[in-house]
Amino acid sequence: MITVGATKTLRTLGRSDDLVASYSSKGPTAIDHIVKPDLLAAGNRLVSLYGSGSALSSLYPENLVPVGYCKTGGSVSPSTTYFTLSGTCVAAPIVSGAAVLLLQRTPSLTPDQVKARLMKTAYKAFPATSTTLDPVTGAVY
């Protein structure tokens, strides 16, 4: 098993300012004190495909991507193809894809070897601390 957390990229090209997303679990586990998550991947405000007519568009219309985002000179009307998503559920497929690429190249790897290789080669220089503002309560965490 590989636990995956999400990063917030702050929409810059470099990784030096990336943060662990506020909704991503951090720290050691309560029982065995193992640091989690095992890996982090981009998971904040990612543009992805979605099915036209999906319930997402009616529940979160602000997450529809303007057509102009996808086309030069396009309109600002919402796209029927792209949607902005956030969460560890968005980050997990990125790590899954990396695992598949490892297994495609070396099919004999065990699950533990896949996890170890992903963790060993992951970027490790994140800020020691970060803060976030809860827009509803105004509390800073």
Side-chain angles (χ1 to χ4, degrees):
M1 181 184 311
I2 300 173
T3 57
V4 178
T7 61
K8 183 176 182 178
T9 65
L10 302 179
R11 299 184 187 253
T12 61
L13 295 177
R15 288 188 262 184
S16 62
D17 62 348
D18 290 359
L19 302 171
V20 178
S22 59
Y23 48 80
S24 194
S25 295
K26 303 168 211 61
T29 56
I31 296 171
D32 54 11
H33 307 288
I34 296 174
V35 176
K36 295 291 180 179
D38 297 320
L39 291 165
L40 296 168
N44 196 67
R45 300 198 48 78
L46 294 185
V47 174
S48 183
L49 294 171
Y50 90 110
S52 183
S54 166
L56 287 173
S57 62
S58 59
L59 292 170
Y60 305 100
E62 67 279 5
N63 288 15
L64 289 165
V65 175
V67 173
Y69 181 88
C70 312
K71 275 185 188 171
T72 303
S75 72
V76 293
S77 61
S79 167
T80 57
T81 311
Y82 298 102
F83 200 76
T84 303
L85 299 164
S86 297
T88 55
C89 59
V90 179
I94 295 170
V95 174
S96 296
V100 167
L101 291 173
L102 274 174
L103 287 168
Q104 186 177 30
R105 181 158 187 206
T106 313
S108 61
L109 290 175
T110 67
D112 285 340
Q113 288 171 324
V114 170
K115 180 177 179 177
R117 286 187 183 192
L118 289 172
M119 290 176 69
K120 182 175 176 139
T121 59
Y123 182 77
K124 296 172 181 66
F126 283 95
T129 62
S130 64
T131 60
T132 188
L133 171 70
D134 183 329
V136 176
T137 65
V140 176
Y141 298 96

